[in-house]
Amino acid sequence: MTDLTERAVRPAPPAPAAPVRARRVTPWQRAGRTLRTLATLAILFFVLFPVLWLALTAFKPASEVFSTSVVFAPTMDNFAEILGGASDLSRSLVNSVLIAVATTLISIPLALLAAYAFSRFRFPGHRAMLLAIVATQFIPGVAIALPFLTLFRALGLIDTHLSLIVVNLSLVVPYVTWLLKGFVDGLPIEIEEAARLDGCGQVTLLWRMITPLAAPGIFVSVVFSFLLSWNEFLFPTFLARTEASTLPVALMTLVQPEGVAWGPMAAAGLLVMVPMLALSLLVRKHFAQGMTMGAVK
Amino acid sequence: MTTTTSPPRRRRHAVAYLHLAPALIAIVLTTVYPLASALITSFRHWRLNETREPGEFVGLEQYQRAFTDATFYNSAWVTLQYTVISVVLSVGIGLLIALVLNRPGRLSALTKALLILPFAVAPALKGFSWRFMFNPEYGVYDHMLGVVLPFTDDVNWLGDPFWALMVLAMTEVWGWAPLIGLMLLGGLGSISPEVRDAARVDGASPWQEFWRVTFPLLRPLLLIIVFLKAVFSVKVFDQVLTTTGGGPGRATETLNFFAYAQGFSFLDIGYASAISWIIVLVLGVLAALYLISMTRQEAK
């Protein structure tokens, strides 16, 4: 199939050796090419349209939000309303940033140490622990949120940043450990052996050699950690509805008795979405691998 | 990597466990502890609005309650339908995306680069935006569908039990199908062109080539994707709350949402824990299947 399509996008060779055959294939190729282009455009539309529509709505004046027109005078009203206006979400924005940063700062060092151990050592329980780490991906969020609801109630930690950071670790630490293990596996072991022969200790080795070498992997892990914490919805609805609420949960406050405030909702949605879109484009190649926990090569 | 003499080996093990300790402690505290705690709570009567302290042990009573509770069966049925619909649509559309984009060219390169975007959108936000676009009065998708398929003009998407479930599934299909396309493009890329050339030389039509050559080679990868997608569909929560809130009636109340409602709205922690453990067990079976197929793949 590849061969066929490659030929389809290249200009037809001048004076082919078998003119009869070439003439017979060409109309098919042309039809195939057109069909593929149309299908690609359809995919592009499917992928991008909801994002574009949300972005468009965010800049619409209140009078145009409920129309499907694309011609309007863009305004920043919706952003003004959610950042300091009537339905101020700036506090949730700050919460989201704080919680995602803290979760990442705590998770990455823990995960890097564990990933290094999984990659470089064989020890009793090695395989079982790796499988257990993959298995955490299958746990439903409610099962984790419920015990923390009662625990944090007893400790007086409901609706605090700390509670969300702790619970987010359940998502991020196993995931990033697995991701980083893959990266450390790819580092040449010879460098470590040479450094060890030169009398380099374990701590120095990790800090001076592994960390810089694994920097691209650490960057990818930071992005994933951010993404998971930033988009998380179930834990904050359970544990932090008001004071420590994050942006995705704060969207709920725009669902008002008289209806959904779609203009401000779209503007807030853009705030939630844009940083993650930008980051995900940076680590695009690692997404598929990260999602399947390394099963897909 | 293990050394032959025993003292250094023991030292190496100690070093390994030392590296693992911080992450393992974090994982135990944030997943093993809550899971165990939920299991214990599932055997107790505990309504947060009645008592602050956990109540008496009731054994399996709350599990029995679930299996005699019509609303539980309803949400189990909804979850099953939802899972089948979203797995079939996501994997089917994902496969189409991969087959269409598996060629050189600037337009397909651009499209491939953008496939990741929907997945990065927070599921809660996906729910809100699809709810907006499917509003029967001012929704843009409602408009478009009305033009292309005029008979859908009168459909109240989120007010109709069947269509509400479909729209809910579509919020997830939007995020997953492109990602699955991306995964499958990776799989297609690893099939050597010679295999397909050989098929074509033997006179296979593109259709035969797909079913006899491409599909069998993709099957292990597809299997893993199906399990993975099924697990995430059973776990669905965010979009349910933001798209339909479980409605109309209970038409889109999935198991996870049901557990959430019991725990968060009715504060019946005991019952909610039992439901969440039933989900854990269901997902445990899926996880086992997934891990088995994954290790089999590794062995190859």
Side-chain angles (χ1 to χ4, degrees), chain B residues 8 12 36 51 64 67 78 80 94 99 113 173 209 215 228 272 281:
Chain B
R12 284 180 67 82
T51 47
Q64 279 175 339
F67 288 106
V78 168
L80 182 67
L99 290 174
V173 171
E209 185 194 311
F215 186 75
L228 195 75
L281 295 176

Side-chain angles (χ1 to χ4, degrees), chain A residues 1-3 5-6 9 36-37 39-41 43-51 53-54 57 65-66 68 110 113-114 116-124 127 129 131 133-134 136-140 142-144 146-151 153 166 169-170 173-174 178 189 202 206 227 231 233-234 237-238 241 248 251-252 255 260 262 265 269 272-273 276-277 280-281 284 287-288 291-293 295-296, chain B residues 1-2 12-13 15-17 19-20 22-24 26-27 29-31 33-35 37-38 46 48 52 97 99-101 103-104 107-108 111 113-122 124-125 128-133 138-141 143-144 170 174 176 178-179 183 196-197 200 209 221 224 228 231-232 235 237-238 241-242 256 259-260 263-264 269 272-273 276 279-280 283 287 290-291 294-295 297:
Chain A
M1 210 182 277
T2 325
D3 194 20
T5 50
E6 251 167 30
V9 284
R36 279 213 187 223
T37 307
T40 308
L41 289 174
I43 294 169
L44 212 53
F45 175 84
F46 175 70
V47 167
L48 286 184
F49 186 77
V51 171
W53 191 251
L54 194 78
T57 308
V65 164
F66 293 107
T68 45
L110 303 189
L113 281 173
Y116 179 77
F118 278 124
S119 177
R120 294 298 195 235
F121 299 97
R122 285 286 170 279
F123 45 85
R127 198 174 162 71
M129 281 189 221
L131 283 182
I133 281 178
V134 180
T136 57
Q137 294 294 299
F138 296 88
I139 300 170
V142 196
I144 287 179
L146 275 168
F148 277 112
L149 178 67
T150 52
L151 178 72
R153 262 174 76 112
V166 168
L169 293 181
S170 75
V173 173
W178 185 272
I189 190 130
Q202 189 65 47
L206 257 169
L227 188 92
N231 286 354
F233 183 70
L234 175 72
T237 37
F238 247 106
R241 273 252 166 145
L251 293 178
M252 303 265 290
V255 181
V260 182
W262 287 116
M265 173 75 81
V272 177
M273 197 168 69
M276 293 305 114
L277 294 189
S280 65
L281 281 178
R284 181 158 42 94
F287 246 98
M291 270 322 297
T292 49
M293 302 293 277
V296 182
Chain B
M1 224 180 293
T2 41
R12 284 180 67 82
H13 288 170
V15 174
Y17 291 131
H19 283 83
L20 284 172
L24 286 185
I27 292 171
L29 287 180
T30 58
T31 62
Y33 154 74
L35 271 185
S37 169
W46 191 1
L48 269 189
R52 302 210 64 160
I97 289 176
L99 290 174
V100 168
L101 297 183
R103 57 158 177 179
L107 184 64
S108 51
T111 312
L114 297 177
L115 283 182
I116 201 58
L117 292 184
F119 192 75
V121 175
L125 180 60
F128 277 127
S129 61
W130 284 71
R131 177 169 157 191
F132 180 50
M133 296 191 302
Y138 48 78
V140 64
Y141 272 177
H143 260 268
M144 289 181 186
M170 281 313 291
W174 177 60
W176 276 85
L179 182 78
M183 293 175 186
R196 298 212 243 172
D197 286 345
R200 211 164 315 117
E209 185 194 311
L221 179 60
I224 284 181
L228 195 75
V231 167
F232 280 89
K235 280 171 59 167
F237 172 80
D238 303 12
L241 188 56
T242 58
N256 220 348
Y260 162 83
F264 192 80
I269 303 292
S273 298
S276 70
I279 307 171
V280 169
L283 290 174
Y290 173 77
L291 292 176
M294 191 171 122
T295 34
Q297 184 124 315

Side-chain angles (χ1 to χ4, degrees), chain A residues 4 8 22-35:
Chain A
L4 236 161
R23 224 182 292 134
R24 223 188 320 147
V25 174
T26 306
W28 278 109
Q29 283 183 339
R30 201 181 299 137
R33 183 168 56 176
T34 315
L35 206 66

Side-chain angles (χ1 to χ4, degrees), chain A residues 100 103-104 107-108 172 176 221-230:
Chain A
T103 306
T104 305
S107 308
I108 302 289
V172 179
V176 171
S221 307
V222 167
V223 171
F224 272 96
S225 166
F226 235 86
L227 188 92
L228 287 171
S229 319
W230 185 268

